[in-house]
Amino acid sequence: ICQQGDLFSTASPTSAPTPAPTQVPTSAPTQVPTVVPIVVPTSVPTFPRCSSSYTYIADLGCVKLSSSSLSWDDAEAACNADNGWLVRIESASANTNLYNYIKTVFTWNAWYNGPWIGLNDKDTEGVYKWSKDGSTASVLLWRTGQPDDSNGIADCVTMTGNGLWNDWECTDTQQYICQQGDLFSTASPTSAPT
């Protein structure tokens, strides 16, 4: 909000006040001031809240660690049947937030033997895509020495004991992480226009 002119007299307290103008305006101003909202980008869910079996993870959405162990393909089908998909992780912060949650509900019995995520290179070796929509991963958070395509058949990805990723044989059975709801960067006004 900008202001021109002074609302208060600049005369010293000992001087007489300035007389008010004798002429009164005959028309209203031609322009009405408007308030323009300040737009601040935020990450907010595009869904009202997580269902009871899912947990909200910042920068990610709603996730659930399965209680059963399945092959990667069967895990993907189970997530789809639950109106979700194998988790898609698109930033280091989302991965850290997810790992900080998963390590409270999952125990690794070997560094590589972690839950499935939705990443794989089943179509083309070395080209990692997300199962949700087939998009190529823009962020790859591999554990040191990975991916190694162990035995030439490691095409699906697990979260390892330090939160980073490992390529693993898709037919092996692991617990898995399902996701529901997407996060999009949205613009929310901080004040409503009048």
Side-chain angles (χ1 to χ4, degrees):
I1 299 176
C2 296
Q3 174 183 339
Q4 284 186 320
D6 227 347
L7 295 179
F8 303 100
S9 170
T10 56
S12 65
T14 57
S15 65
T18 307
T22 55
Q23 193 174 18
V24 178
T26 57
S27 65
T30 58
Q31 290 186 346
V32 177
T34 59
V35 175
V36 178
I38 299 170
V39 177
V40 179
T42 59
S43 288
V44 295
T46 59
F47 48 91
R49 65 179 152 224
C50 298
S51 64
S52 62
S53 61
Y54 281 74
T55 300
Y56 178 78
I57 304 297
D59 299 325
L60 196 59
C62 298
V63 300
K64 172 176 77 173
L65 176 68
S66 69
S67 57
S68 62
S69 294
L70 298 173
S71 69
W72 190 93
D73 288 327
D74 289 344
E76 179 183 33
C79 290
N80 291 170
D82 197 29
N83 297 311
W85 53 89
L86 281 171
V87 68
R88 177 180 172 162
I89 305 163
E90 297 192 65
S91 70
S93 62
N95 191 69
T96 298
N97 295 340
L98 178 61
Y99 173 67
N100 285 337
Y101 166 69
I102 293 297
K103 69 183 180 180
T104 68
V105 294
F106 181 83
T107 303
W108 284 261
N109 58 17
W111 69 266
Y112 54 85
N113 199 22
W116 294 122
I117 64 173
L119 195 61
N120 71 84
D121 71 344
K122 296 190 313 180
D123 293 337
T124 305
E125 185 60 37
V127 178
Y128 287 88
K129 295 185 176 185
W130 293 108
S131 62
K132 179 188 178 202
D133 59 8
S135 63
T136 302
S138 59
V139 173
L140 295 168
L141 301 168
W142 298 112
R143 187 176 179 113
T144 301
Q146 300 303 318
D148 64 0
D149 194 29
S150 179
N151 299 318
I153 55 173
D155 293 323
C156 296
V157 179
T158 64
M159 178 178 275
T160 70
N162 68 358
L164 298 177
W165 306 343
N166 174 51
D167 60 334
W168 197 244
E169 184 179 341
C170 301
T171 56
D172 194 25
T173 58
Q174 305 286 347
Q175 286 180 261
Y176 51 96
I177 307 166
C178 293
Q179 180 179 3
Q180 289 181 337
D182 271 326
L183 290 182
F184 295 104
S185 181
T186 60
S188 302
T190 57
S191 64
T194 57

Coordinates of all heavy atoms in Angstrom, one line a residue, residues 113-161:
N113 N 18.3 -55.4 1.6 CA 17.0 -56.1 1.7 C 15.9 -55.2 2.2 O 15.3 -55.4 3.2 CB 17.2 -57.3 2.6 CG 16.1 -58.4 2.4 OD1 15.5 -58.4 1.3 ND2 15.9 -59.2 3.4
G114 N 15.6 -54.1 1.4 CA 14.6 -53.1 1.9 C 13.4 -53.2 1.1 O 13.2 -54.0 0.1
P115 N 12.4 -52.3 1.4 CA 11.2 -52.3 0.7 C 11.3 -51.8 -0.7 O 12.1 -50.9 -1.0 CB 10.3 -51.3 1.5 CG 11.2 -50.5 2.3 CD 12.5 -51.3 2.5
W116 N 10.4 -52.3 -1.6 CA 10.4 -51.9 -3.0 C 9.9 -50.4 -3.1 O 9.0 -50.0 -2.4 CB 9.4 -52.7 -3.8 CG 9.7 -54.2 -4.0 CD1 9.0 -55.3 -3.7 CD2 10.9 -54.7 -4.7 NE1 9.6 -56.4 -4.1 CE2 10.8 -56.1 -4.7 CE3 12.0 -54.1 -5.3 CZ2 11.7 -57.0 -5.2 CZ3 13.0 -55.0 -5.8 CH2 12.8 -56.4 -5.8
I117 N 10.5 -49.7 -4.0 CA 9.9 -48.4 -4.5 C 9.5 -48.6 -5.9 O 9.8 -49.6 -6.5 CB 10.9 -47.2 -4.2 CG1 12.1 -47.4 -5.1 CG2 11.2 -47.1 -2.7 CD1 13.1 -46.1 -5.0
G118 N 8.9 -47.6 -6.5 CA 8.3 -47.7 -7.9 C 9.3 -47.5 -9.0 O 8.9 -47.3 -10.1
L119 N 10.6 -47.6 -8.8 CA 11.6 -47.4 -9.8 C 12.1 -48.7 -10.4 O 12.3 -49.7 -9.7 CB 12.7 -46.6 -9.2 CG 13.7 -45.9 -10.2 CD1 13.0 -44.9 -11.1 CD2 14.8 -45.3 -9.4
N120 N 12.3 -48.7 -11.7 CA 12.8 -49.9 -12.4 C 13.4 -49.6 -13.7 O 13.2 -48.5 -14.3 CB 11.7 -51.0 -12.6 CG 10.7 -50.5 -13.7 OD1 11.0 -50.7 -14.9 ND2 9.6 -49.9 -13.3
D121 N 14.3 -50.5 -14.2 CA 14.8 -50.4 -15.6 C 14.6 -51.7 -16.4 O 15.4 -52.1 -17.1 CB 16.3 -50.0 -15.6 CG 17.3 -51.1 -15.1 OD1 16.8 -52.1 -14.5 OD2 18.5 -51.0 -15.3
K122 N 13.4 -52.2 -16.2 CA 13.0 -53.4 -16.9 C 12.9 -53.3 -18.4 O 13.3 -54.3 -19.1 CB 11.6 -53.9 -16.3 CG 11.7 -54.3 -14.8 CD 10.5 -55.0 -14.3 CE 9.1 -54.4 -14.7 NZ 8.0 -55.2 -14.1
D123 N 12.6 -52.2 -18.9 CA 12.5 -52.0 -20.4 C 13.8 -51.8 -21.0 O 14.1 -52.5 -22.0 CB 11.6 -50.8 -20.7 CG 10.1 -51.0 -20.3 OD1 9.7 -52.2 -20.2 OD2 9.4 -50.0 -20.1
T124 N 14.6 -50.9 -20.5 CA 16.0 -50.7 -21.0 C 17.0 -50.6 -19.9 O 16.8 -49.7 -19.0 CB 15.9 -49.3 -21.8 OG1 14.9 -49.4 -22.8 CG2 17.3 -49.0 -22.4
E125 N 18.0 -51.4 -19.9 CA 19.0 -51.4 -18.9 C 19.6 -50.0 -18.7 O 20.0 -49.4 -19.7 CB 20.1 -52.4 -19.2 CG 21.1 -52.6 -18.1 CD 20.5 -53.1 -16.8 OE1 19.5 -53.9 -16.8 OE2 20.9 -52.6 -15.7
G126 N 19.6 -49.5 -17.5 CA 20.2 -48.2 -17.1 C 19.3 -47.0 -17.3 O 19.6 -45.9 -17.0
V127 N 18.1 -47.2 -17.9 CA 17.1 -46.2 -18.0 C 16.0 -46.4 -17.0 O 15.2 -47.3 -17.1 CB 16.5 -46.1 -19.4 CG1 15.4 -45.0 -19.5 CG2 17.6 -45.9 -20.4
Y128 N 16.1 -45.7 -15.8 CA 15.2 -45.9 -14.7 C 13.9 -45.1 -14.8 O 13.9 -43.9 -15.0 CB 15.9 -45.7 -13.4 CG 16.9 -46.8 -13.1 CD1 18.2 -46.7 -13.6 CD2 16.5 -47.9 -12.4 CE1 19.1 -47.7 -13.4 CE2 17.4 -48.9 -12.2 CZ 18.7 -48.8 -12.7 OH 19.5 -49.9 -12.5
K129 N 12.8 -45.8 -14.8 CA 11.5 -45.2 -14.9 C 10.6 -45.5 -13.7 O 10.7 -46.5 -13.1 CB 10.8 -45.7 -16.2 CG 11.5 -45.3 -17.5 CD 10.8 -45.7 -18.7 CE 11.5 -45.2 -19.9 NZ 10.8 -45.4 -21.1
W130 N 9.6 -44.6 -13.5 CA 8.7 -44.8 -12.4 C 7.5 -45.6 -12.9 O 6.9 -45.3 -14.0 CB 8.2 -43.4 -11.9 CG 9.3 -42.7 -11.2 CD1 10.0 -41.6 -11.6 CD2 9.9 -43.0 -9.9 NE1 11.0 -41.2 -10.7 CE2 10.9 -42.1 -9.6 CE3 9.7 -44.0 -9.0 CZ2 11.7 -42.1 -8.5 CZ3 10.5 -44.1 -7.8 CH2 11.5 -43.1 -7.6
S131 N 7.1 -46.5 -12.1 CA 6.0 -47.4 -12.5 C 4.6 -46.7 -12.6 O 3.8 -47.0 -13.4 CB 5.8 -48.6 -11.6 OG 5.5 -48.1 -10.3
K132 N 4.5 -45.6 -11.9 CA 3.2 -44.9 -11.9 C 2.8 -44.4 -13.2 O 1.7 -44.6 -13.7 CB 3.3 -43.7 -10.9 CG 2.0 -42.9 -10.9 CD 2.0 -41.6 -10.1 CE 0.7 -40.9 -10.2 NZ 0.8 -39.5 -10.0
D133 N 3.7 -43.8 -14.0 CA 3.4 -43.2 -15.3 C 4.4 -43.5 -16.4 O 4.3 -42.9 -17.5 CB 3.2 -41.7 -15.1 CG 4.4 -41.0 -14.6 OD1 5.5 -41.6 -14.4 OD2 4.3 -39.8 -14.2
G134 N 5.5 -44.2 -16.1 CA 6.5 -44.5 -17.1 C 7.5 -43.4 -17.3 O 8.3 -43.5 -18.2
S135 N 7.4 -42.4 -16.5 CA 8.4 -41.2 -16.7 C 9.8 -41.6 -16.2 O 10.0 -42.4 -15.3 CB 7.9 -40.0 -15.9 OG 7.9 -40.2 -14.5
T136 N 10.8 -41.1 -16.9 CA 12.2 -41.3 -16.5 C 12.5 -40.5 -15.3 O 12.1 -39.4 -15.1 CB 13.1 -40.9 -17.7 OG1 12.7 -41.6 -18.9 CG2 14.5 -41.1 -17.4
A137 N 13.2 -41.2 -14.4 CA 13.5 -40.6 -13.1 C 14.5 -39.4 -13.3 O 15.5 -39.5 -14.0 CB 14.1 -41.6 -12.1
S138 N 14.2 -38.3 -12.7 CA 15.1 -37.1 -12.8 C 16.0 -37.0 -11.6 O 17.0 -36.3 -11.6 CB 14.2 -35.8 -12.8 OG 13.4 -35.7 -11.7
V139 N 15.7 -37.8 -10.5 CA 16.6 -37.9 -9.3 C 16.9 -39.3 -9.1 O 15.9 -40.1 -9.0 CB 15.8 -37.2 -8.1 CG1 16.6 -37.4 -6.8 CG2 15.6 -35.8 -8.3
L140 N 18.1 -39.6 -9.0 CA 18.6 -41.0 -8.7 C 19.4 -41.0 -7.4 O 20.5 -40.4 -7.5 CB 19.3 -41.6 -9.8 CG 18.4 -41.8 -11.1 CD1 19.3 -42.2 -12.3 CD2 17.4 -42.9 -10.9
L141 N 19.0 -41.6 -6.4 CA 19.7 -41.6 -5.1 C 20.3 -42.9 -4.7 O 19.9 -43.6 -3.8 CB 18.7 -41.0 -4.0 CG 18.1 -39.7 -4.3 CD1 17.0 -39.4 -3.4 CD2 19.2 -38.6 -4.2
W142 N 21.3 -43.3 -5.5 CA 21.9 -44.7 -5.3 C 22.8 -44.8 -4.1 O 23.6 -43.9 -3.9 CB 22.7 -45.1 -6.6 CG 21.8 -45.1 -7.8 CD1 21.9 -44.3 -8.9 CD2 20.8 -46.1 -8.1 NE1 20.9 -44.7 -9.8 CE2 20.3 -45.8 -9.3 CE3 20.3 -47.2 -7.4 CZ2 19.2 -46.5 -9.9 CZ3 19.3 -47.9 -8.0 CH2 18.7 -47.6 -9.2
R143 N 22.8 -45.9 -3.5 CA 23.8 -46.3 -2.5 C 25.1 -46.4 -3.2 O 25.2 -46.8 -4.4 CB 23.4 -47.6 -1.8 CG 24.3 -47.9 -0.7 CD 23.7 -49.2 0.0 NE 24.6 -49.6 1.1 CZ 24.2 -49.5 2.4 NH1 23.0 -49.1 2.7 NH2 25.0 -49.8 3.4
T144 N 26.3 -46.2 -2.6 CA 27.6 -46.4 -3.2 C 27.7 -47.7 -3.8 O 27.3 -48.7 -3.2 CB 28.7 -46.2 -2.1 OG1 28.5 -44.9 -1.6 CG2 30.1 -46.3 -2.7
G145 N 28.2 -47.8 -5.1 CA 28.4 -49.0 -5.8 C 27.1 -49.5 -6.5 O 27.1 -50.5 -7.2
Q146 N 26.0 -48.7 -6.4 CA 24.8 -49.1 -7.1 C 24.5 -48.1 -8.2 O 24.9 -47.0 -8.1 CB 23.7 -49.2 -6.1 CG 23.9 -50.2 -5.0 CD 24.1 -51.6 -5.5 OE1 23.4 -52.0 -6.5 NE2 25.1 -52.3 -5.0
P147 N 23.7 -48.4 -9.2 CA 23.2 -49.7 -9.5 C 24.3 -50.6 -10.1 O 25.2 -50.1 -10.8 CB 22.1 -49.5 -10.5 CG 22.6 -48.2 -11.2 CD 23.3 -47.4 -10.2
D148 N 24.2 -51.9 -9.8 CA 25.2 -52.8 -10.4 C 24.7 -53.9 -11.2 O 25.4 -54.8 -11.7 CB 26.1 -53.4 -9.2 CG 25.3 -54.3 -8.3 OD1 24.0 -54.4 -8.5 OD2 25.8 -54.8 -7.3
D149 N 23.4 -54.0 -11.4 CA 22.7 -55.0 -12.2 C 23.2 -56.4 -11.9 O 23.6 -57.2 -12.7 CB 22.9 -54.7 -13.7 CG 21.9 -55.5 -14.6 OD1 20.8 -55.9 -14.1 OD2 22.3 -55.9 -15.7
S150 N 23.2 -56.6 -10.6 CA 23.7 -57.9 -10.0 C 23.1 -59.1 -10.8 O 21.9 -59.2 -11.0 CB 23.3 -58.0 -8.6 OG 23.7 -59.2 -8.0
N151 N 24.0 -60.0 -11.3 CA 23.7 -61.2 -12.0 C 23.0 -60.9 -13.3 O 22.3 -61.8 -13.9 CB 22.9 -62.2 -11.2 CG 23.7 -62.6 -10.0 OD1 24.9 -62.9 -10.0 ND2 23.0 -62.7 -8.8
G152 N 23.0 -59.6 -13.8 CA 22.3 -59.2 -15.0 C 20.8 -59.2 -14.9 O 20.1 -59.2 -15.9
I153 N 20.3 -59.3 -13.7 CA 18.8 -59.4 -13.5 C 18.2 -58.4 -12.5 O 17.1 -58.5 -12.1 CB 18.4 -60.8 -13.2 CG1 19.1 -61.3 -11.9 CG2 18.6 -61.8 -14.4 CD1 18.6 -62.7 -11.4
A154 N 19.1 -57.5 -12.0 CA 18.6 -56.6 -11.0 C 18.0 -55.4 -11.6 O 18.7 -54.4 -12.0 CB 19.8 -56.2 -10.1
D155 N 16.7 -55.4 -11.8 CA 16.0 -54.3 -12.6 C 15.0 -53.5 -11.8 O 14.4 -52.6 -12.3 CB 15.3 -54.9 -13.8 CG 16.2 -55.5 -14.8 OD1 17.3 -54.9 -15.0 OD2 15.9 -56.5 -15.4
C156 N 14.8 -53.9 -10.5 CA 13.8 -53.2 -9.7 C 14.6 -52.6 -8.5 O 15.7 -53.0 -8.2 CB 12.7 -54.1 -9.2 SG 11.7 -54.7 -10.6
V157 N 14.0 -51.6 -7.8 CA 14.7 -50.8 -6.8 C 14.1 -50.9 -5.4 O 12.9 -50.8 -5.3 CB 14.8 -49.4 -7.3 CG1 15.6 -48.5 -6.3 CG2 15.5 -49.3 -8.7
T158 N 15.0 -51.1 -4.5 CA 14.7 -51.1 -3.1 C 15.3 -49.9 -2.4 O 16.3 -49.3 -2.8 CB 15.2 -52.4 -2.3 OG1 16.6 -52.4 -2.4 CG2 14.6 -53.6 -3.0
M159 N 14.8 -49.5 -1.2 CA 15.4 -48.5 -0.3 C 16.2 -49.3 0.7 O 15.8 -50.2 1.3 CB 14.3 -47.7 0.4 CG 14.9 -46.7 1.4 SD 13.7 -45.7 2.2 CE 13.5 -44.4 1.0
T160 N 17.5 -49.0 0.7 CA 18.5 -49.7 1.6 C 18.5 -49.1 3.0 O 17.8 -48.1 3.3 CB 19.9 -49.7 1.0 OG1 20.4 -48.3 1.1 CG2 19.9 -50.1 -0.5
G161 N 19.3 -49.8 3.8 CA 19.3 -49.4 5.3 C 19.8 -48.0 5.6 O 19.7 -47.6 6.7

